[in-house]
Amino acid sequence: IESVASHKKKLLKLIEQKKQIDHEIVQSIDKIIDYSGRLSNISSITPLEIEIPSDSKIIGKTIDEVKFWQHTGSTIIGIKRDNSVILSPGPYATFEEDDVLIVIGEEEVYNAVRLFLNEN
């Protein structure tokens, strides 16, 4: 009888521990879901760096002149040039050979920008 009572007591203790672990698992899942929701749009604000090919049609032209956003759907947040970065270049910034564009946008902008830069 003592053995049965002892096992019953141990089993009740284990069930209580399981409930606590289940509760902690649910809390962890809730946190993961919360973080995932917050980060679901982070890819659209992750900067991409794309080098302008030396034979690109946009070299020597301004951002406005080539209608960069209209053709690519991406926003230029910077231009790397000669070991420096031009942050938030305005519409009159001119593209030069060896520039590296820093852009943001939806997932498909990388391909859109690459295609636009390589059009002849």
Side-chain angles (χ1 to χ4, degrees):
I1 293 177
E2 281 183 36
S3 179
V4 171
S6 172
H7 285 296
K8 182 179 178 183
K9 185 176 179 180
K10 183 177 179 180
L11 182 60
L12 291 173
K13 184 177 177 182
L14 289 172
I15 289 172
E16 189 57 39
Q17 288 175 344
K18 181 187 176 299
K19 285 181 185 178
Q20 180 61 35
I21 290 171
D22 287 344
H23 178 72
E24 289 177 27
I25 290 171
V26 168
Q27 284 182 326
S28 291
I29 290 171
D30 287 344
K31 285 180 182 179
I32 290 170
I33 291 170
D34 180 51
Y35 292 145
S36 296
R38 291 183 197 186
L39 299 176
S40 63
N41 293 320
I42 198 77
S43 64
S44 64
I45 57 172
T46 301
L48 302 170
E49 294 187 10
I50 305 169
E51 186 173 349
I52 298 176
S54 59
D55 63 346
S56 180
K57 67 178 183 179
I58 71 168
I59 293 175
K61 297 182 180 178
T62 67
I63 293 172
D64 182 54
E65 190 177 353
V66 300
K67 304 290 184 217
F68 191 84
W69 182 85
Q70 291 84 344
H71 285 100
T72 65
S74 67
T75 300
I76 299 173
I77 61 170
I79 299 174
K80 285 186 176 181
R81 180 181 294 155
D82 300 326
N83 297 321
S84 64
V85 177
I86 302 165
L87 289 177
S88 189
Y92 306 113
T94 304
F95 298 108
E96 294 181 10
E97 191 172 342
D98 298 323
D99 279 353
V100 176
L101 303 180
I102 306 168
V103 300
I104 58 172
E106 299 298 326
E107 289 181 31
E108 62 276 357
V109 300
Y110 180 79
N111 288 331
V113 172
R114 303 266 323 159
L115 287 171
F116 182 68
L117 295 178
N118 287 300
E119 286 179 356
N120 290 324

